[in-house]
Amino acid sequence: MRKSLIAGVILCLLFSVQLHAQCPTENTAFKAGERLTYDLYFNWKFIWVKCGAAHYNMHSANYKGQNALRNDLLFTSNKRCDAVFTMRDTLISYMTPQLVPLYFRKGSLEGKHYTVDEVWYTYPKGKSHVKQHYLNRHGEWSEHHHESDDCNYDMLSILALARTFSPKDYKPGHRIHFPMATGKKVEEQTLVYRGKKDWKANDRKTYHCLIFSLLDYEEKSKDKELLRFYVTDDTRHMPVRIDFYLKFGTAKAYLAKSN
């Protein structure tokens, strides 16, 4: 299964401990009003070319009458990158102030193909119910359901939750497992902690970072690295660099602006 670039971006930011049944979480990492901007680069025939930008925003919101947080993540390729690979991806996620997932949508135009993932969450009788819709590249909709005693998360809500945890007890080689819902399935994912390193971002600031790798879901036994990413070693756990190892080349996202 080919991993999409945008899915990789979100997955690469996850670094929490294993998730348990208790969904509500105290948020100590971020607040409404956060805005992060990234410069995207692609390696084309040994030359690094700036190919677009990514924007991540956190807002106060209302979801079906209750107070909520809304995550938005937008990826856009520029004209130079469009000549090789067009990307217009928009992700939206609603959560309670305690980071309990409520709704998720990802609309993805990658190359010539457009797909949509939608996820609705409900919690009857102490269980987590996930209703999923998926629009494939042929314009065909499918519907799926998932139920478990544990919490389920999507690309954005798991990112928000993960940023509240501290990996201070991790040692290089430590493996982290977590569940993630898309419009058609719930998968267990694996991250590997690589250690710490200082790195200078495109905002000209140097950050002390934690480094993680995301392994390809279908090739865990081979330890095939799909992503390598850097997050700040502080309570905010802000992502500042992401390296992508793709079938058609290598891409990088560098933090350019934050508030």
Side-chain angles (χ1 to χ4, degrees), residues 95-162:
M95 308 170 295
T96 70
Q98 293 76 38
L99 310 187
V100 178
L102 299 171
Y103 172 76
F104 170 76
R105 185 184 190 278
K106 177 171 78 76
S108 178
L109 174 63
E110 296 183 353
K112 298 180 180 180
H113 303 295
Y114 182 71
T115 60
V116 175
D117 292 81
E118 278 193 288
V119 182
W120 293 264
Y121 302 89
T122 55
Y123 303 91
K125 298 181 180 180
K127 291 185 176 291
S128 176
H129 287 246
V130 179
K131 178 182 177 181
Q132 301 155 283
H133 283 179
Y134 179 69
L135 176 69
N136 66 24
R137 63 181 64 182
H138 305 295
E140 302 166 337
W141 282 98
S142 59
E143 183 173 321
H144 309 271
H145 298 271
H146 180 81
E147 176 183 333
S148 68
D149 293 326
D150 296 329
C151 295
N152 295 287
Y153 297 87
D154 51 73
M155 296 174 184
L156 286 184
S157 62
I158 192 70
L159 164 60
L161 179 68

Coordinates of all heavy atoms in Angstrom, one line a residue, residues 95-162:
M95 N -12.1 18.1 18.3 CA -11.9 17.3 19.6 C -12.5 18.1 20.7 O -12.7 19.4 20.6 CB -10.4 17.2 19.9 CG -9.6 16.6 18.8 SD -7.8 16.7 19.2 CE -7.6 18.5 19.2
T96 N -12.8 17.5 21.8 CA -13.2 18.2 23.0 C -12.0 18.9 23.6 O -10.9 18.6 23.2 CB -13.8 17.3 24.1 OG1 -12.7 16.5 24.6 CG2 -14.9 16.3 23.5
P97 N -12.2 19.9 24.5 CA -11.0 20.5 25.1 C -10.1 19.5 25.9 O -8.9 19.8 26.1 CB -11.6 21.5 26.1 CG -13.0 21.8 25.5 CD -13.4 20.5 24.9
Q98 N -10.6 18.3 26.2 CA -9.8 17.3 26.8 C -9.3 16.3 25.8 O -8.8 15.2 26.1 CB -10.7 16.5 27.8 CG -11.1 17.3 29.0 CD -12.2 18.3 28.7 OE1 -13.1 18.0 27.9 NE2 -12.2 19.5 29.3
L99 N -9.3 16.7 24.5 CA -8.7 16.0 23.4 C -9.4 14.7 23.1 O -8.7 13.7 22.5 CB -7.2 15.8 23.6 CG -6.4 17.0 24.0 CD1 -4.9 16.7 24.1 CD2 -6.7 18.2 23.1
V100 N -10.7 14.5 23.3 CA -11.4 13.4 22.9 C -11.9 13.6 21.5 O -12.6 14.6 21.2 CB -12.6 13.1 23.8 CG1 -13.5 11.9 23.3 CG2 -12.2 12.9 25.3
P101 N -11.6 12.7 20.5 CA -12.0 12.9 19.1 C -13.5 12.9 18.9 O -14.2 12.1 19.5 CB -11.3 11.7 18.4 CG -10.3 11.2 19.3 CD -10.8 11.5 20.7
L102 N -13.9 13.8 18.0 CA -15.3 14.0 17.7 C -15.6 13.7 16.2 O -16.5 13.1 15.8 CB -15.8 15.3 18.1 CG -15.7 15.7 19.6 CD1 -16.1 17.2 19.8 CD2 -16.7 14.8 20.4
Y103 N -14.7 14.3 15.3 CA -14.9 14.2 13.9 C -13.6 14.5 13.2 O -12.8 15.3 13.6 CB -16.0 15.2 13.4 CG -16.1 15.3 11.9 CD1 -16.8 14.4 11.2 CD2 -15.5 16.4 11.2 CE1 -16.9 14.5 9.8 CE2 -15.6 16.5 9.8 CZ -16.3 15.6 9.1 OH -16.4 15.7 7.8
F104 N -13.4 13.8 12.0 CA -12.2 14.0 11.2 C -12.6 13.9 9.7 O -13.4 13.1 9.3 CB -11.2 12.9 11.5 CG -10.0 12.9 10.6 CD1 -9.0 13.8 10.6 CD2 -9.9 11.9 9.6 CE1 -7.9 13.8 9.8 CE2 -8.8 11.8 8.8 CZ -7.8 12.8 8.8
R105 N -11.9 14.8 8.9 CA -12.1 14.7 7.4 C -10.7 15.0 6.8 O -10.0 16.0 7.2 CB -13.1 15.7 6.9 CG -13.4 15.5 5.4 CD -14.4 16.6 4.9 NE -14.8 16.3 3.6 CZ -14.1 16.7 2.5 NH1 -13.0 17.3 2.6 NH2 -14.6 16.4 1.3
K106 N -10.4 14.2 5.8 CA -9.2 14.5 4.9 C -9.6 14.5 3.5 O -10.0 13.4 3.0 CB -8.1 13.5 5.2 CG -6.9 13.7 4.3 CD -5.7 12.8 4.7 CE -5.8 11.4 4.2 NZ -5.5 11.2 2.8
G107 N -9.5 15.6 2.8 CA -9.7 15.7 1.4 C -8.3 15.8 0.7 O -7.5 16.7 1.0
S108 N -8.0 14.8 -0.2 CA -6.6 14.7 -0.7 C -6.6 14.6 -2.2 O -7.1 13.7 -2.8 CB -6.0 13.4 -0.1 OG -4.7 13.3 -0.6
L109 N -6.0 15.7 -2.8 CA -5.6 15.6 -4.2 C -4.1 15.4 -4.3 O -3.3 16.3 -4.0 CB -6.0 16.9 -4.9 CG -5.6 17.1 -6.4 CD1 -6.3 16.0 -7.2 CD2 -5.9 18.5 -6.9
E110 N -3.7 14.2 -4.8 CA -2.3 13.9 -4.9 C -2.1 13.3 -6.3 O -2.7 12.3 -6.6 CB -1.9 12.9 -3.8 CG -2.0 13.5 -2.4 CD -1.5 12.6 -1.3 OE1 -1.2 11.4 -1.6 OE2 -1.5 13.1 -0.2
G111 N -1.3 14.0 -7.1 CA -1.2 13.6 -8.5 C -2.5 13.9 -9.2 O -3.0 15.1 -9.1
K112 N -3.1 13.0 -9.9 CA -4.4 13.1 -10.5 C -5.5 12.5 -9.8 O -6.7 12.5 -10.3 CB -4.3 12.5 -11.9 CG -3.2 13.1 -12.8 CD -3.2 12.4 -14.2 CE -2.2 13.0 -15.1 NZ -2.1 12.3 -16.4
H113 N -5.3 12.1 -8.6 CA -6.3 11.3 -7.8 C -6.8 12.1 -6.6 O -6.0 12.7 -5.9 CB -5.8 10.0 -7.4 CG -5.2 9.2 -8.5 ND1 -6.0 8.6 -9.5 CD2 -4.0 8.7 -8.7 CE1 -5.3 7.9 -10.3 NE2 -4.1 8.0 -9.9
Y114 N -8.2 12.1 -6.4 CA -8.8 12.8 -5.3 C -9.5 11.8 -4.4 O -10.3 10.9 -4.9 CB -9.8 13.8 -5.7 CG -10.4 14.6 -4.6 CD1 -9.7 15.5 -3.9 CD2 -11.8 14.4 -4.3 CE1 -10.3 16.2 -2.8 CE2 -12.3 15.1 -3.2 CZ -11.6 16.0 -2.5 OH -12.2 16.7 -1.4
T115 N -9.2 11.8 -3.1 CA -9.8 10.8 -2.2 C -10.3 11.6 -1.0 O -9.8 12.7 -0.7 CB -8.9 9.7 -1.7 OG1 -7.7 10.3 -1.1 CG2 -8.4 8.9 -2.9
V116 N -11.3 11.0 -0.3 CA -11.8 11.6 1.0 C -11.9 10.6 2.1 O -12.4 9.5 1.8 CB -13.2 12.2 0.7 CG1 -13.8 12.8 2.0 CG2 -13.1 13.4 -0.3
D117 N -11.4 10.9 3.2 CA -11.6 10.1 4.4 C -12.5 10.9 5.4 O -12.2 12.1 5.7 CB -10.3 9.7 5.1 CG -9.4 8.8 4.3 OD1 -8.8 9.3 3.4 OD2 -9.4 7.6 4.6
E118 N -13.5 10.2 6.0 CA -14.3 10.9 7.0 C -14.5 9.9 8.2 O -14.7 8.7 8.0 CB -15.7 11.3 6.5 CG -15.7 12.6 5.8 CD -17.1 13.1 5.6 OE1 -17.8 12.6 4.7 OE2 -17.5 14.1 6.2
V119 N -14.4 10.4 9.4 CA -14.6 9.6 10.6 C -15.4 10.3 11.6 O -15.2 11.5 11.9 CB -13.2 9.3 11.3 CG1 -13.4 8.4 12.5 CG2 -12.3 8.6 10.2
W120 N -16.5 9.7 12.2 CA -17.3 10.2 13.2 C -17.1 9.3 14.5 O -17.1 8.1 14.4 CB -18.8 10.2 12.8 CG -19.2 11.1 11.7 CD1 -19.7 12.4 11.8 CD2 -19.1 10.9 10.3 NE1 -19.9 12.9 10.6 CE2 -19.6 12.0 9.7 CE3 -18.7 9.8 9.5 CZ2 -19.7 12.1 8.3 CZ3 -18.7 9.8 8.2 CH2 -19.2 11.0 7.5
Y121 N -17.0 10.0 15.6 CA -16.8 9.2 16.9 C -18.0 9.4 17.8 O -18.5 10.5 18.0 CB -15.6 9.8 17.6 CG -14.3 9.7 16.8 CD1 -13.9 10.8 16.0 CD2 -13.4 8.6 16.9 CE1 -12.7 10.7 15.3 CE2 -12.3 8.6 16.2 CZ -11.9 9.6 15.4 OH -10.7 9.6 14.7
T122 N -18.4 8.3 18.4 CA -19.4 8.3 19.5 C -19.0 7.4 20.6 O -18.1 6.5 20.4 CB -20.8 7.9 19.0 OG1 -20.8 6.6 18.4 CG2 -21.4 9.0 18.0
Y123 N -19.5 7.6 21.8 CA -19.0 6.8 23.0 C -20.2 6.2 23.8 O -20.2 6.5 25.0 CB -18.1 7.7 23.8 CG -17.0 8.3 23.0 CD1 -17.1 9.5 22.4 CD2 -15.8 7.6 22.9 CE1 -16.0 10.0 21.6 CE2 -14.7 8.1 22.1 CZ -14.9 9.3 21.5 OH -13.9 9.8 20.7
P124 N -21.0 5.4 23.2 CA -22.1 4.8 24.0 C -21.7 3.7 24.9 O -20.8 2.9 24.6 CB -23.1 4.3 22.9 CG -22.2 4.0 21.8 CD -21.1 5.0 21.8
K125 N -22.2 3.7 26.2 CA -21.9 2.6 27.1 C -20.4 2.4 27.3 O -20.0 1.3 27.5 CB -22.6 1.3 26.7 CG -24.1 1.5 26.6 CD -24.7 0.1 26.1 CE -26.3 0.3 26.1 NZ -26.9 -1.0 25.6
G126 N -19.6 3.5 27.3 CA -18.2 3.3 27.7 C -17.4 2.8 26.6 O -16.2 2.5 26.8
K127 N -17.9 2.6 25.4 CA -17.1 2.0 24.3 C -16.8 3.1 23.2 O -17.6 4.1 23.2 CB -17.8 0.9 23.6 CG -17.9 -0.4 24.5 CD -18.5 -1.6 23.7 CE -18.5 -2.8 24.5 NZ -17.1 -3.3 24.7
S128 N -15.8 2.9 22.4 CA -15.5 3.8 21.4 C -16.1 3.3 20.0 O -15.7 2.2 19.6 CB -14.0 4.0 21.2 OG -13.7 4.8 20.1
H129 N -17.0 4.0 19.4 CA -17.6 3.6 18.2 C -17.1 4.6 17.1 O -17.1 5.8 17.2 CB -19.1 3.7 18.2 CG -19.7 2.6 19.0 ND1 -20.5 1.6 18.4 CD2 -19.7 2.3 20.3 CE1 -20.9 0.8 19.4 NE2 -20.4 1.2 20.5
V130 N -16.6 4.0 16.0 CA -16.1 4.8 14.9 C -16.9 4.5 13.6 O -17.0 3.3 13.2 CB -14.6 4.5 14.6 CG1 -14.1 5.3 13.4 CG2 -13.8 4.8 15.8
K131 N -17.5 5.5 13.0 CA -18.2 5.4 11.8 C -17.3 6.0 10.7 O -16.9 7.2 10.8 CB -19.5 6.1 11.8 CG -20.3 6.1 10.5 CD -21.6 6.9 10.6 CE -22.3 6.9 9.2 NZ -23.6 7.7 9.3
Q132 N -17.0 5.3 9.6 CA -16.0 5.7 8.6 C -16.6 5.7 7.2 O -17.4 4.8 6.8 CB -14.8 4.8 8.6 CG -14.1 4.7 10.0 CD -13.4 3.4 10.2 OE1 -14.0 2.3 10.5 NE2 -12.1 3.4 10.0
H133 N -16.3 6.8 6.5 CA -16.7 6.9 5.0 C -15.4 7.1 4.2 O -14.5 7.8 4.7 CB -17.6 8.0 4.8 CG -19.0 7.8 5.2 ND1 -20.0 8.7 5.0 CD2 -19.6 6.6 5.7 CE1 -21.2 8.2 5.5 NE2 -21.0 6.9 5.9
Y134 N -15.3 6.5 3.0 CA -14.1 6.6 2.2 C -14.6 6.8 0.7 O -15.4 6.0 0.2 CB -13.2 5.4 2.3 CG -12.0 5.5 1.5 CD1 -11.0 6.4 1.8 CD2 -11.8 4.7 0.4 CE1 -9.9 6.5 1.0 CE2 -10.7 4.7 -0.4 CZ -9.7 5.7 -0.1 OH -8.6 5.8 -0.9
L135 N -14.0 7.8 0.1 CA -14.2 8.0 -1.3 C -12.9 7.7 -2.0 O -11.9 8.3 -1.8 CB -14.6 9.5 -1.6 CG -14.7 9.9 -3.1 CD1 -16.0 9.2 -3.7 CD2 -14.8 11.4 -3.3
N136 N -12.9 6.7 -2.9 CA -11.7 6.2 -3.6 C -11.5 7.1 -4.8 O -12.3 7.9 -5.2 CB -11.7 4.7 -3.9 CG -12.8 4.3 -4.9 OD1 -13.2 5.1 -5.7 ND2 -13.1 3.0 -4.8
R137 N -10.4 6.8 -5.5 CA -10.0 7.6 -6.7 C -10.9 7.4 -7.9 O -10.8 8.2 -8.8 CB -8.5 7.2 -7.1 CG -8.4 5.7 -7.5 CD -6.9 5.4 -7.9 NE -6.1 5.6 -6.7 CZ -4.7 5.4 -6.8 NH1 -4.2 5.1 -8.0 NH2 -4.0 5.5 -5.8
H138 N -11.8 6.4 -7.8 CA -12.7 6.1 -8.9 C -14.1 6.8 -8.6 O -15.0 6.6 -9.4 CB -12.9 4.6 -9.1 CG -11.6 3.9 -9.3 ND1 -10.8 4.1 -10.5 CD2 -11.0 3.0 -8.6 CE1 -9.8 3.3 -10.4 NE2 -9.8 2.7 -9.3
G139 N -14.2 7.6 -7.5 CA -15.4 8.2 -7.1 C -16.4 7.3 -6.5 O -17.6 7.6 -6.4
E140 N -16.0 6.2 -5.9 CA -16.9 5.2 -5.2 C -16.8 5.4 -3.7 O -15.7 5.4 -3.1 CB -16.5 3.8 -5.6 CG -16.5 3.6 -7.1 CD -15.8 2.3 -7.6 OE1 -14.9 1.8 -6.8 OE2 -16.1 1.8 -8.6
W141 N -17.9 5.5 -3.0 CA -18.0 5.6 -1.6 C -18.1 4.2 -0.9 O -18.8 3.4 -1.5 CB -19.2 6.5 -1.2 CG -19.0 7.9 -1.3 CD1 -19.4 8.7 -2.3 CD2 -18.3 8.8 -0.4 NE1 -19.0 10.0 -2.1 CE2 -18.4 10.1 -1.0 CE3 -17.7 8.6 0.8 CZ2 -17.8 11.2 -0.3 CZ3 -17.1 9.7 1.4 CH2 -17.2 11.0 0.9
S142 N -17.5 4.1 0.2 CA -17.7 2.9 1.0 C -17.8 3.3 2.5 O -17.4 4.3 2.9 CB -16.5 1.9 0.9 OG -15.3 2.5 1.3
E143 N -18.5 2.4 3.2 CA -18.8 2.7 4.6 C -18.3 1.6 5.5 O -18.4 0.4 5.2 CB -20.3 2.9 4.9 CG -20.7 3.3 6.3 CD -22.1 3.6 6.4 OE1 -22.7 4.3 5.5 OE2 -22.7 3.2 7.5
H144 N -17.7 2.0 6.7 CA -17.1 1.0 7.6 C -17.4 1.4 9.0 O -17.7 2.6 9.3 CB -15.5 1.0 7.3 CG -15.1 0.8 5.9 ND1 -15.0 -0.4 5.3 CD2 -14.9 1.7 4.9 CE1 -14.7 -0.3 4.0 NE2 -14.6 1.0 3.8
H145 N -17.3 0.4 9.9 CA -17.5 0.7 11.3 C -16.4 -0.1 12.1 O -15.9 -1.1 11.8 CB -18.9 0.2 11.7 CG -20.0 0.9 11.0 ND1 -20.6 2.0 11.5 CD2 -20.7 0.6 9.9 CE1 -21.5 2.4 10.7 NE2 -21.6 1.5 9.7
H146 N -16.1 0.5 13.3 CA -15.2 -0.1 14.2 C -15.6 0.2 15.6 O -16.0 1.3 16.0 CB -13.8 0.5 14.0 CG -12.7 -0.1 14.9 ND1 -12.1 -1.3 14.6 CD2 -12.2 0.4 16.0 CE1 -11.2 -1.5 15.6 NE2 -11.2 -0.5 16.4
E147 N -15.5 -0.8 16.5 CA -15.9 -0.6 17.9 C -14.8 -1.3 18.8 O -14.3 -2.4 18.5 CB -17.2 -1.3 18.2 CG -17.6 -1.3 19.6 CD -19.0 -2.0 19.9 OE1 -19.8 -2.1 18.9 OE2 -19.2 -2.5 21.0
S148 N -14.4 -0.6 19.9 CA -13.4 -1.2 20.8 C -13.6 -0.6 22.2 O -14.3 0.4 22.4 CB -12.0 -0.9 20.3 OG -11.8 0.5 20.3
D149 N -13.0 -1.2 23.2 CA -13.0 -0.7 24.5 C -12.0 0.4 24.7 O -12.0 1.2 25.6 CB -12.7 -1.8 25.5 CG -13.8 -2.9 25.6 OD1 -14.9 -2.5 25.4 OD2 -13.4 -4.1 25.7
D150 N -11.0 0.5 23.8 CA -10.0 1.5 23.8 C -10.4 2.7 23.0 O -11.3 2.6 22.1 CB -8.6 1.0 23.3 CG -8.1 -0.1 24.2 OD1 -8.4 -0.1 25.4 OD2 -7.4 -1.0 23.7
C151 N -9.7 3.8 23.2 CA -10.0 5.0 22.3 C -9.4 4.8 21.0 O -8.4 4.1 20.8 CB -9.3 6.2 23.0 SG -10.1 6.7 24.6
N152 N -10.0 5.4 20.0 CA -9.5 5.4 18.6 C -9.2 6.9 18.2 O -9.9 7.8 18.7 CB -10.6 4.8 17.7 CG -10.8 3.4 18.0 OD1 -10.0 2.5 17.7 ND2 -11.9 3.1 18.6
Y153 N -8.3 7.1 17.4 CA -7.8 8.4 17.0 C -7.6 8.5 15.5 O -7.4 7.4 14.8 CB -6.5 8.8 17.7 CG -6.7 8.9 19.2 CD1 -6.6 7.7 20.0 CD2 -7.0 10.1 19.8 CE1 -6.7 7.8 21.4 CE2 -7.2 10.1 21.2 CZ -7.1 9.0 22.0 OH -7.3 9.1 23.3
D154 N -7.6 9.7 14.9 CA -7.2 9.9 13.5 C -5.9 10.6 13.5 O -5.2 10.8 14.5 CB -8.3 10.7 12.9 CG -8.7 12.0 13.6 OD1 -7.8 12.9 13.6 OD2 -9.7 12.0 14.3
M155 N -5.5 11.0 12.2 CA -4.2 11.6 12.0 C -4.0 12.9 12.9 O -2.9 13.1 13.4 CB -4.0 12.0 10.6 CG -4.0 10.8 9.7 SD -4.0 11.3 7.9 CE -4.1 9.7 7.1
L156 N -5.0 13.7 13.0 CA -4.8 15.0 13.7 C -5.1 14.9 15.2 O -4.4 15.5 16.0 CB -5.7 16.1 13.1 CG -5.3 16.6 11.7 CD1 -6.3 17.7 11.3 CD2 -3.9 17.1 11.8
S157 N -6.1 14.2 15.6 CA -6.4 14.1 17.1 C -5.3 13.3 17.8 O -5.0 13.6 18.9 CB -7.7 13.4 17.3 OG -7.8 12.1 16.8
I158 N -4.7 12.3 17.1 CA -3.6 11.6 17.7 C -2.3 12.5 17.8 O -1.6 12.4 18.8 CB -3.3 10.3 17.0 CG1 -2.3 9.4 17.8 CG2 -2.6 10.5 15.6 CD1 -3.0 8.8 19.0
L159 N -2.2 13.3 16.9 CA -1.1 14.3 17.0 C -1.2 15.2 18.2 O -0.3 15.4 19.0 CB -1.0 15.1 15.7 CG -0.2 16.4 15.7 CD1 1.3 16.1 16.1 CD2 -0.3 17.2 14.4
A160 N -2.4 15.7 18.4 CA -2.7 16.6 19.5 C -2.5 15.9 20.8 O -1.9 16.4 21.7 CB -4.1 17.1 19.4
L161 N -3.0 14.6 20.9 CA -2.8 13.9 22.1 C -1.4 13.5 22.4 O -0.9 13.7 23.5 CB -3.6 12.6 22.1 CG -3.5 11.6 23.3 CD1 -4.2 12.3 24.5 CD2 -4.1 10.3 23.0
A162 N -0.6 13.1 21.3 CA 0.8 12.8 21.5 C 1.6 13.9 22.0 O 2.6 13.7 22.8 CB 1.3 12.3 20.2

